[in-house]
Amino acid sequence: MQEKMISKLEILAESAKYDISCASSGTSRSNKNKGIGSASRCGICHSFTADGRCVSLLKIMLTNYCMFDCAYCINRQSNDIPRAGFTPKELAELTIEFYRRNYIEGLFLSSGIVRSADHTMEKMIRVVKILQQEYNFNGYIHMKAIPGASNELIREAGLLVDRMSVNLEIPTERNLKLLAPDKDHQTIYQPMRHIQQNLLENIEDRKKIKSTPKFVPAGQSTQVIIGATDETDNQILQLTAKLYKRPSMKRVYYSGFIPVNSYDKRLPVLQEVPRVRENRLYQADWLLRFYDFSVDEIVNDEHPDLDLTVDPKLSWAIRNPQFFPVDINRDSYQKILRVPGIGVKSAKLIVMARRHRKLNKEALKRIGVVLKRAQFFIICHEMNTFKVLDSSAEYIRLSLQDLPRLEVKQQALPQQLVMGW
């Protein structure tokens, strides 16, 4: 590989690493008779960056030149950093070379905005067309949709790639205008709406003509920066819940704010990236998508931010002792699913297994229930006198929190809790 290409690769891969709105492919497409590569639903290869972030594919920017001056972005116009840009042909050739060497199985393509949103989108689409038409590449491709791009270009791109994403970045309009005066939520939501509408139209077209190419078969995703502004977790999760009501929205990613432009006085001074808060938001996101929780159950006006010492499901359980105990052998799947230590798979297995016999602690262990957590909130064949009491909440919190364990003397526990162990 030429030294010039290596230099460009180093610069543009470094510039792309802060965008985390990509993960497993989420789509399944077998290889055609001709061509190379395939996209698998079970996920493609992942790699880990030096700071521990999981990234997939060849994650690269077409260029890190940008006409915008966003305070939180490493590629902002006013930053004095090394700049570079690929031609569409160069980036397509680089992707194929990496694929042939078994380094990657797909492409995550982003770009700084040059000249205009449409001009940038056209160049990105050209990369994909070269890959697919000249090299017969059939692997997974995730493309960033540029805010402000026309619907025609969004539609053209969506028929070529597997997934598209538009980053919201800052949850509220007020704070977005503070840190990125050139942007507004209307411009960001516009391509999201285009993707949504085109996807729905494509579904109807495919009902009539099955050979119609799929439009973004893996849907769309977005990213929110956490900790750069003063939004509460309640505000962030309310936004997340609204986004998930869109059928095309598959994932919302939460990126802990990294102070790459510490000289900008509009940004907070952080000693470390808020990784724990980021993780708690992902856990809350999981509860919204798979556990039938509402945002108001996880956070509300009284508790606007997530508890950083315990996960959101356990925090909810401690705040709502009236919901427990849950009878593993009698209660509904929905109630069992809300028990800390019981996941979706375990809850389904419990409902199936109890048809044939009463379940005890050993049976729950074999199913995969984490009894260390669940024991405080359930009764079963061998635990039929156990109850959760308000007075035991602090002990449960200290016993199960993710921070270093604190010693709690057993004689300080309520008698019913000790007997229920």
Side-chain angles (χ1 to χ4, degrees):
M1 191 181 296
Q2 297 179 358
E3 187 175 338
K4 183 179 178 181
M5 287 289 286
I6 294 175
S7 176
K8 286 184 179 181
L9 175 62
E10 290 175 348
I11 292 170
L12 295 171
E14 177 72 15
S15 294
K17 75 177 185 179
Y18 298 103
D19 194 327
I20 63 168
S21 58
C22 64
S24 301
S25 63
T27 185
S28 181
R29 185 182 64 253
S30 59
N31 205 334
K32 301 174 182 177
N33 294 330
K34 297 180 179 180
I36 59 175
S38 61
S40 174
R41 183 180 300 278
C42 62
I44 57 180
C45 295
H46 291 71
S47 61
F48 291 85
T49 60
D51 62 355
R53 291 176 180 272
C54 180
V55 294
S56 51
L57 326 172
L58 170 59
K59 190 175 183 180
I60 196 86
M61 297 185 76
L62 182 63
T63 179
N64 65 344
Y65 288 98
C66 190
M67 57 190 287
F68 290 162
D69 200 42
C70 306
Y72 46 81
C73 183
I74 187 65
N75 302 308
R76 61 186 296 182
Q77 184 186 46
S78 60
N79 268 1
D80 184 17
I81 61 171
R83 303 281 182 174
F86 288 113
T87 66
K89 183 70 172 178
E90 285 176 338
L91 186 48
E93 289 176 348
L94 179 68
T95 303
I96 292 300
E97 284 301 313
F98 271 52
Y99 182 84
R100 285 174 175 161
R101 298 179 187 187
N102 204 30
Y103 294 162
I104 61 165
E105 295 197 33
L107 173 68
F108 176 89
L109 180 58
S110 182
S111 180
I113 302 175
V114 181
R115 294 189 190 176
S116 68
D118 281 353
H119 175 79
T120 306
M121 277 294 293
E122 286 171 357
K123 281 188 165 288
M124 294 170 73
I125 290 171
R126 181 62 184 150
V127 174
V128 178
K129 283 185 173 181
I130 293 172
L131 280 171
Q132 295 179 343
Q133 296 173 7
E134 296 186 22
Y135 293 101
N136 294 319
F137 183 72
N138 199 50
Y140 177 79
I141 300 177
H142 179 151
M143 180 191 287
K144 302 294 296 185
I146 304 299
S150 67
N151 186 33
E152 291 73 20
L153 291 173
I154 296 291
R155 180 171 178 79
E156 184 179 6
L159 291 171
L160 296 171
V161 304
D162 298 278
R163 173 170 284 184
M164 298 183 75
S165 56
V166 188
N167 286 352
L168 270 174
E169 296 170 345
I170 303 299
T172 60
E173 178 83 21
R174 173 179 61 86
N175 284 330
L176 178 65
K177 296 299 290 184
L178 174 67
L179 300 184
D182 301 315
K183 295 183 178 180
D184 59 72
H185 272 176
Q186 182 179 354
T187 307
I188 295 173
Y189 280 119
Q190 183 180 9
M192 283 187 175
R193 287 191 292 267
H194 289 331
I195 294 171
Q196 168 83 4
Q197 187 60 37
N198 286 320
L199 178 61
L200 295 176
E201 291 176 2
N202 181 257
I203 291 172
E204 293 302 316
D205 291 343
R206 286 180 56 79
K207 289 179 181 178
K208 300 173 185 176
I209 306 175
K210 291 186 178 180
S211 60
T212 302
K214 289 183 178 180
F215 184 87
V216 287
Q220 64 174 312
S221 60
T222 191
Q223 172 180 301
V224 178
I225 298 174
I226 306 303
T229 45
D230 60 0
E231 289 89 1
T232 64
D233 294 336
N234 189 6
Q235 288 176 291
I236 294 168
L237 290 173
Q238 292 289 355
L239 173 63
T240 296
K242 290 178 182 177
L243 291 172
Y244 280 138
K245 290 180 180 178
R246 302 169 182 242
S248 62
M249 183 59 66
K250 301 302 181 183
R251 285 298 304 272
V252 176
Y253 291 87
Y254 309 94
S255 176
F257 171 62
I258 301 173
V260 292
N261 301 318
S262 55
Y263 61 85
D264 196 311
K265 301 304 180 183
R266 293 171 293 176
L267 297 170
V269 178
L270 299 180
Q271 298 301 320
E272 59 183 17
V273 179
R275 300 284 188 217
V276 177
R277 186 184 179 196
E278 180 183 309
N279 184 49
R280 293 291 179 239
L281 283 165
Y282 276 117
Q283 291 171 330
D285 182 288
W286 216 256
L287 295 182
L288 293 175
R289 291 194 293 147
F290 301 114
Y291 289 78
D292 296 325
F293 277 77
S294 67
V295 175
D296 292 335
E297 290 177 303
I298 302 170
V299 284
N300 48 45
D301 293 338
E302 185 179 354
H303 301 92
D305 292 308
L306 295 168
D307 189 336
L308 299 184
T309 61
V310 295
D311 66 81
K313 192 178 184 184
L314 178 58
S315 178
W316 173 83
I318 291 174
R319 295 200 312 267
N320 293 273
Q322 72 280 1
F323 189 86
F324 303 100
V326 170
D327 189 335
I328 292 297
N329 289 297
R330 294 177 179 271
D331 283 327
S332 66
Y333 166 80
Q334 288 74 20
K335 291 194 71 173
I336 293 172
L337 194 60
R338 292 195 166 224
V339 175
I342 299 181
V344 174
K345 183 178 179 180
S346 296
K348 290 179 179 178
L349 289 174
I350 287 171
V351 173
M352 292 175 60
R354 71 186 186 184
R355 297 173 185 169
H356 307 286
R357 54 167 289 190
K358 288 185 177 181
L359 302 181
N360 56 20
K361 290 175 66 174
E362 288 303 315
L364 294 178
K365 283 183 181 179
R366 289 195 296 270
I367 285 173
V369 173
V370 182
L371 281 176
K372 178 183 175 182
R373 291 175 174 267
Q375 64 177 336
F376 297 105
F377 307 99
I378 62 173
I379 56 174
C380 62
H381 185 49
E382 293 177 348
M383 300 168 61
N384 55 3
T385 60
F386 186 87
K387 292 184 178 181
V388 171
L389 303 177
D390 288 334
S391 55
S392 69
E394 187 60 24
Y395 174 76
I396 296 171
R397 178 183 297 278
L398 293 175
S399 297
L400 301 182
Q401 66 182 7
D402 294 340
L403 299 176
R405 292 282 296 272
L406 300 178
E407 293 184 3
V408 179
K409 295 182 178 180
Q410 180 169 314
Q411 57 264 33
L413 303 181
Q415 185 65 22
Q416 293 91 331
L417 182 58
V418 176
M419 292 175 63
W421 263 356

